[in-house]
Amino acid sequence: MDSSVRNLRVAILSSPGMGHLIPVVVLANRLAAHHNVRVTVLQVTTAVSPPESKLLDLPLHKDLVQIIQLPPVDISHLVGPSTQVVTQLCLMVREAVPVVRSAIAAMESRPDALFVDHFGTDALPIAAELNIAKYVYVPTTAWFTALTVYCPVLDQEIEGEYVDQLEDLRIPGCKPVRPEDVVDPMLDRNDQQYDEYVRMGKQIPLSDGILFNSWEDLESKTIQALRENQALRSVVNIPVYPVGPLRRPVEPAGPTSEWISWLDRQPNESVLFVSFGSGGMLSAEQITELAWGLELSCQRFIWVVRPPTRGRVDDAFFNVGNSSDGTPNYLPEGFSTRTRDVGLLVSMWAPQIEILSHSAVGGFLSHCGWNSTLESITNGVPMIAWPLYAEQRLNATFLVEEAGVAVRPRELPTKQVVGREEIERLVRSIIEHKEGQGMRDKAKQLKMSAEDGLGRAGSSYKSMCEILSKIG
Ligand code: UDP
């Protein structure tokens, strides 16, 4: 525990939704448990994203962390059916600024700093009003952070859609971004969410510093560019702090969990875990190809299955029928019977961190959400990168080309259906072949460097101490 920063108090603003709340709570717990900071998490809620009942499941540092769910804000008059996610999130936070201000005013004592996630930059002026420190927490990579703060420059330099560019997008000192890998809000420059994203890129550098959920060893080149590259510094002239990898802890599995007794019976590093995050869904055609690909590979798997995005809308979450052998009717007939000895299907949701930490798991076919990515790397598990939305294409390219811990389909799965033969090849390469073993070794090295980074002598730990010494 860092005694030099005893008694500090920080408020962290989380944008709506569990996907944004979880990384904020993980950060809050870390600040409390390792740095003795008292943290109040302020969560923005709306009528469409009501206070979360799942909140009760989030383990909180019991003495020092509290979550306050702010009164819901109404953005119905500002949005239409085609309003995109980033626009909605930014509007929700913008509308919530008065209730954030009131909530902070009502706190027992004034916080020493306000942290916001990257959708919350509109709340930064509250910190200025109170004359307290203000930081932005980007719960993903340094590379995403660099792209975001440099986007206002790209906006001036580049004409036409980014996805139509013939050359990669250059960010000074950083790995260039392939046009097809741009984040969702950069896909259509005429959509309001692009304007919101550019605005975010301009507002982040108005804070006192940026925290991101990565670590020095993982992204040394990008972090160095953010610190030293003159051209990049001209847009983001504030300190940057890699404080990760921050992730939820492993919860002990119940003795009767079906998946754990199944995994216990499988050989070491032999099972592929297949899951697409909290909301990722595939088309009916893609699900069929994935099922056949898994079956053809003859490898062991646990697959978190969900109904397809198209068709059966009424059944989307419930009442999906099964055929007589228990195969959900959106999978090829008889799939469960034919794969009975090697596969386990889990419907909708599985305890992902617990599964990835089991010694039988040898690979992860993942949508490359950053939480899933960290959960995989910190368990030394290599990946098949299958990006779907948000910044996942960027993450996938990073994992394949920089970190060397993933393989991927030849074409982006968002561009074309990945066929069964290619899936078979990818699965075999990660579980069965030498290539997979090499990536597993690399992932294990990263796991160790992650642990070092978080340890008392580590760079992520020191980053956090540095921030707190500036606040205190
Ligand atoms: N998750 C889980 N079980 C599931 C699906 C997801 O526990 O069946 C968790 C996963 O461990 C991760 C989070 O949900 O912590 C998903 O976050 P990520 O950033 O990977 O993707 P997102 O859902 O935000 O796209």
Side-chain angles (χ1 to χ4, degrees):
M1 195 170 298
D2 191 350
S3 55
S4 63
V5 289
R6 213 171 283 285
N7 300 327
L8 278 182
R9 183 183 283 265
V10 168
I12 312 183
L13 183 66
S14 164
S15 51
M18 284 303 276
H20 302 128
L21 182 63
I22 290 171
V24 162
V25 168
V26 172
L27 172 67
N29 282 339
R30 172 93 190 160
L31 281 164
H34 293 265
H35 302 274
N36 205 27
V37 176
R38 188 173 287 278
V39 186
T40 304
V41 173
L42 303 169
Q43 197 205 4
V44 176
T45 67
T46 70
V48 276
S49 156
E52 306 273 0
S53 52
K54 274 201 204 152
L55 211 57
L56 299 173
D57 301 338
L58 287 177
L60 296 185
H61 187 285
K62 94 177 166 331
D63 299 324
L64 295 178
V65 178
Q66 102 181 110
I67 300 184
I68 295 178
Q69 298 201 309
L70 298 170
V73 290
D74 181 12
I75 58 159
S76 56
H77 58 295
L78 299 170
V79 297
S82 59
T83 308
Q84 300 290 321
V85 183
V86 171
T87 305
Q88 291 190 31
L89 287 165
C90 292
L91 287 174
M92 288 170 190
V93 175
R94 201 165 298 149
E95 289 295 298
V97 166
V99 292
V100 176
R101 189 181 285 117
S102 309
I104 295 178
M107 281 168 67
E108 237 169 64
S109 54
R110 200 176 69 172
D112 300 291
L114 174 66
F115 291 12
V116 301
D117 66 28
H118 58 296
F119 296 109
T121 51
D122 269 318
L124 288 172
I126 298 175
E129 289 162 22
L130 295 170
N131 199 22
I132 59 174
K134 47 188 186 307
Y135 288 83
V136 178
Y137 177 46
V138 181
T140 170
T141 59
W143 197 26
F144 168 84
T145 308
L147 175 63
T148 305
V149 295
Y150 201 66
C151 190
V153 179
L154 297 176
D155 184 57
Q156 299 295 313
E157 282 178 352
I158 292 178
E159 284 183 13
E161 291 295 347
Y162 297 113
V163 281
D164 296 334
Q165 300 303 308
L166 299 176
E167 286 179 15
D168 291 350
L169 310 177
R170 282 201 297 275
I171 312 171
C174 302
K175 181 177 170 58
V177 175
R178 298 190 306 177
E180 63 180 5
D181 285 344
V182 293
V183 296
D184 278 359
M186 289 175 74
L187 291 172
D188 176 1
R189 293 178 74 172
N190 293 313
D191 192 284
Q192 190 186 343
Q193 72 168 351
Y194 174 67
D195 299 332
E196 295 289 352
Y197 184 69
V198 172
R199 180 181 160 102
M200 182 193 299
K202 289 180 181 164
Q203 286 182 333
I204 289 173
L206 303 177
S207 67
D208 296 325
I210 309 170
L211 292 70
F212 40 77
N213 198 359
S214 185
W215 65 103
E216 298 275 354
D217 282 356
L218 188 70
E219 292 195 86
S220 51
K221 183 178 154 198
T222 310
I223 294 169
Q224 193 184 357
L226 281 163
R227 289 192 177 127
E228 291 169 15
N229 184 286
Q230 295 267 318
L232 202 49
R233 294 299 287 172
S234 71
V235 296
V236 59
N237 195 16
I238 52 172
V240 295
Y241 303 99
V243 296
L246 302 179
R247 39 152 273 204
R248 285 183 297 142
V250 178
E251 308 261 352
T256 52
S257 304
E258 185 198 4
W259 61 269
I260 202 167
S261 42
W262 186 84
L263 276 175
D264 283 346
R265 294 195 300 275
Q266 312 307 318
N268 216 20
E269 297 175 346
S270 69
V271 176
L272 180 76
F273 178 53
V274 183
S275 180
F276 300 94
S278 56
M281 292 167 96
L282 305 179
S283 67
E285 202 184 351
Q286 186 61 81
I287 291 180
T288 302
E289 290 306 305
L290 181 52
W292 281 112
L294 288 170
E295 189 175 336
L296 287 169
S297 77
C298 303
Q299 303 303 307
R300 295 174 175 81
F301 63 87
I302 296 187
W303 181 6
V304 183
V305 284
R306 292 191 183 134
T309 45
R310 285 200 297 271
R312 272 190 238 292
V313 173
D314 295 342
D315 291 339
F317 281 87
F318 305 105
N319 302 328
V320 174
N322 292 332
S323 57
S324 55
D325 73 341
T327 303
N329 59 13
Y330 51 84
L331 292 180
E333 211 180 322
F335 179 78
S336 295
T337 304
R338 293 193 303 277
T339 58
R340 194 175 34 218
D341 295 335
V342 291
L344 183 68
L345 296 178
V346 183
S347 178
M348 301 304 293
W349 189 264
Q352 179 167 303
I353 297 190
E354 288 73 16
I355 290 176
L356 286 169
S357 64
H358 195 286
S359 58
V361 173
F364 183 15
L365 192 159
S366 167
H367 74 320
C368 303
W370 193 242
N371 291 308
S372 296
T373 300
L374 291 181
E375 289 160 16
S376 202
I377 293 178
T378 54
N379 281 298
V381 175
M383 298 163 78
I384 299 173
W386 194 289
L388 296 176
Y389 51 85
E391 89 299 3
Q392 294 154 12
R393 291 174 290 268
L394 213 56
N395 297 345
T397 291
F398 172 77
L399 291 170
V400 174
E401 296 181 8
E402 294 279 286
V405 293
V407 288
R408 64 178 164 191
R410 278 184 294 267
E411 286 289 341
L412 281 170
T414 40
K415 274 190 167 171
Q416 77 179 41
V417 172
V418 186
R420 59 191 73 179
E421 290 81 15
E422 187 172 15
I423 294 169
E424 175 195 355
R425 181 181 62 74
L426 290 166
V427 176
R428 284 185 189 277
S429 76
I430 205 114
I431 298 291
E432 218 182 27
H433 296 166
K434 231 174 150 183
E435 189 186 3
Q437 192 51 48
M439 286 186 288
R440 193 165 300 114
D441 293 343
K442 190 81 218 292
K444 285 179 182 165
Q445 282 168 18
L446 288 176
K447 170 187 158 102
M448 287 192 311
S449 90
E451 285 164 8
D452 289 348
L454 289 171
R456 289 296 296 255
S459 53
S460 293
Y461 185 90
K462 285 185 183 159
S463 275
M464 203 78 104
C465 293
E466 205 180 313
I467 298 166
L468 297 174
S469 69
K470 285 191 179 163
I471 294 171

